[in-house]
Amino acid sequence: MRINQITIKPGKERSILQRHPWIFSGAIHSATKAIPPGSCVNVQDTKGQFLARAYYNPDCSLAARVIGYEPGLELNEALFTQRLAAAWQRRAPLRTTSSNMQRIVASEADLLPGLIIDRYDDWVVFQILTRGMELQRDAIIAAIRTVINPKGIVERSDEAIRKKEGLEERKELVQGELPPGGLFGLEDGLKLGFDLWDGHKTGFYLDQRINREIVGRYAADAEVLNCFSYTGGFSCAAGRGGARSVTSVDESRAALDFAEQNWALNSLPEGRHQTVRADVFAYLRELRDQGRNFDLIILDPPKFVSDKQHLDRACRGYKDLNLLALQLLRPQGYLATYSCSGLISRDLFQKVVFGAASDLGMDVQILHHLSQADDHPVLLSFPESLYLKGLLCQKLSP
Ligand code: SAH
């Protein structure tokens, strides 16, 4: 039987030997003819030395993603079942009576590049991002049934990035009935609802779990402004932390409706939460012009940049936002500020926030370096898996 192979250019093997899972088309010297896009190949150097096993899509610039280091390794139901079971097991300590939502498979970081699987209570949502994973759709669903056996399974492969792999977007109810009125899961004791079908990404931003808990600790008696609130996860955490008032700001009315519902569901004090549908940038300027002040401001914007050419523009965006927020903070007030743009390193993000404080002539302390929740592991050989970074700051003066 013919074994499909791709051969790596001399000098380009290094990252593969260091177990980085991405192989760009520019690193490929040659490939066996007519490899069906998405199928598994052996990766070798020009001397014929085996390097890794990967799936390959010749139509993409990110052409191959490594799945393991044994020749002949295949993506199939057995492999998905084994890796999903391992990922499920790794996260067992995170499943408690007060938390039933988790990322179970975080793509490359769980050795399943191009696949995301989230569990929300008795529901599993999966997302396929590459041709290699697309070919394995049935095996993935079978593995989810074997390992997790949820009541419902939803596919939310409706990410535009699939176009790069020549794939259409797909959204499908694979098993069960959609929970009417949204799904209500538990995060550290908070009941949080969102729309499984039309909500962002796979429904909910699980990566902020730990940060919601941390922010809650600084909310006692505070006037809180939660910018880019989505369904109000941070708002409810601040409410539980004893906030005097919380304002949730987002451009999505549907998300804000959930934020209101979530506040009430957690029996948080009536009349202390309001939602504002607005563009955060414009709204922050408005508040500044009105001379408004807050004790705790949360900035959790969407990803600002996905290609290097636009890095400067993204930094200016982050700087503007943080500058506005620092102006609105009372002395001794707290700023929880995030970036989920993978291209912006932790160092760079800190420099941007420093730039904002420095322009304002302010002393600002970092109290916590913030990151993604522990169900979003980072693979050491794949630093790209660390994408969410943040700072919890306190404004000292003026
Ligand atoms: N902090 C949220 C997640 C934020 S995701 C949580 O803990 O769940 C980013 C949110 O920003 C989305 O809800 C999106 O609707 C909103 N958004 C994006 N651009 C915006 C803008 N310019 N103004 C207001 N909201 C915006």
Side-chain angles (χ1 to χ4, degrees):
M1 200 180 77
R2 185 183 84 152
I3 296 174
N4 286 324
Q5 322 233 48
I6 59 174
T7 304
I8 300 302
K9 286 180 186 164
K12 296 282 186 187
E13 324 77 352
R14 191 145 161 250
S15 79
I16 303 171
L17 290 168
Q18 290 175 334
R19 299 173 94 93
H20 190 288
W22 285 356
I23 302 171
F24 286 93
S25 55
I28 298 175
H29 170 273
S30 57
T32 321
K33 281 210 174 59
I35 300 177
S39 51
C40 289
V41 296
N42 279 352
V43 182
Q44 60 174 16
D45 65 16
T46 43
K47 295 189 195 103
Q49 185 72 34
F50 173 83
L51 297 170
R53 193 77 180 146
Y55 65 73
Y56 176 58
N57 184 351
D59 306 329
C60 284
S61 71
L62 208 179
R65 303 195 199 211
V66 173
I67 56 157
Y69 302 89
E70 304 103 72
L73 185 73
E74 284 298 335
L75 283 175
N76 54 30
E77 190 181 325
L79 182 119
F80 281 104
T81 304
Q82 182 214 330
R83 293 200 180 168
L84 176 55
W88 176 253
Q89 210 43 48
R90 268 198 288 287
R91 287 155 171 93
L94 309 176
R95 290 189 285 277
T96 63
T97 49
S98 58
S99 293
N100 63 15
M101 304 194 283
Q102 283 184 315
R103 175 141 301 181
I104 304 297
V105 170
S107 202
E108 282 83 356
D110 282 294
L111 311 180
L112 291 169
L115 178 65
I116 288 170
I117 303 181
D118 287 340
R119 176 233 176 185
Y120 302 117
D121 191 11
D122 229 350
W123 285 80
V124 165
V125 180
F126 70 94
Q127 185 172 70
I128 289 176
L129 298 166
T130 58
R131 170 84 55 188
M133 282 292 155
E134 180 82 1
L135 295 183
Q136 303 299 327
R137 187 173 179 268
D138 291 344
I140 292 167
I141 294 170
I144 292 171
R145 290 194 170 117
T146 306
V147 176
I148 309 178
N149 189 25
K151 202 155 81 190
I153 302 177
V154 175
E155 177 173 13
R156 287 292 308 271
S157 300
D158 50 334
E159 282 287 332
I161 199 172
R162 279 167 58 98
K163 262 208 200 84
K164 289 193 181 175
E165 297 267 345
L167 299 169
E168 303 277 302
E169 293 183 24
R170 189 192 308 109
K171 209 155 113 166
E172 196 177 306
L173 180 61
V174 174
Q175 176 171 308
E177 298 292 327
L178 282 176
L183 187 133
F184 292 85
L186 273 179
E187 181 184 83
D188 296 319
L190 285 174
K191 216 167 191 192
L192 296 173
F194 54 90
D195 190 334
L196 212 53
W197 190 250
D198 284 323
H200 298 172
K201 310 267 178 184
T202 65
F204 189 64
Y205 292 90
L206 295 166
D207 52 0
Q208 288 286 20
R209 170 178 169 184
I210 176 77
N211 297 315
R212 295 191 190 100
E213 197 266 315
I214 292 171
V215 160
R217 295 182 215 159
Y218 292 86
D221 210 30
E223 206 176 320
V224 180
L225 183 64
N226 180 11
C227 301
F228 309 96
S229 67
Y230 191 47
T231 52
F234 278 107
S235 301
C236 292
R240 180 169 64 179
R244 189 159 16 108
S245 77
V246 179
T247 304
S248 300
V249 191
D250 202 282
E251 65 183 9
S252 157
R253 186 66 254 169
L256 291 172
D257 288 345
F258 269 109
E260 277 169 10
Q261 216 180 325
N262 288 335
W263 185 272
L265 256 176
N266 289 287
S267 307
L268 293 165
E270 237 176 273
R272 291 201 189 179
H273 178 230
Q274 60 154 337
T275 58
V276 177
R277 183 181 181 194
D279 167 57
V280 165
F281 289 86
Y283 186 64
L284 290 180
R285 285 194 185 92
E286 226 174 89
L287 291 172
R288 182 195 56 193
D289 297 345
Q290 292 167 2
R292 292 282 306 275
N293 287 119
F294 296 86
D295 306 298
L296 168 59
I297 299 179
I298 299 140
L299 294 177
D300 182 24
K303 187 165 159 183
F304 279 176
V305 58
S306 25
D307 54 81
K308 283 195 182 124
Q309 296 118 276
H310 297 121
L311 200 58
D312 279 354
R313 195 176 66 191
C315 287
R316 279 198 298 279
Y318 284 115
K319 186 174 170 189
D320 272 0
L321 261 185
N322 283 280
L323 200 114
L324 284 162
L326 286 171
Q327 284 175 301
L328 290 172
L329 270 190
R330 297 199 171 97
Q332 314 308 319
Y334 300 106
L335 171 65
T337 179
Y338 300 91
S339 162
C340 62
S341 305
L343 285 175
I344 301 216
S345 67
R346 184 174 282 286
D347 275 1
L348 179 55
F349 186 58
Q350 186 171 321
K351 279 188 187 122
V352 168
V353 179
F354 160 71
S358 163
D359 281 9
L360 296 167
M362 266 179 204
D363 286 323
V364 174
Q365 261 182 348
I366 297 173
L367 304 183
H368 282 283
H369 290 273
L370 307 168
S371 191
Q372 61 217 41
D374 40 11
D375 53 350
H376 290 59
V378 177
L379 196 64
L380 266 180
S381 58
F382 184 62
E384 291 85 345
S385 47
L386 174 59
Y387 66 95
L388 179 64
K389 74 272 337 163
L391 297 168
L392 182 79
C393 299
Q394 187 170 26
K395 167 171 165 175
L396 299 186
S397 66

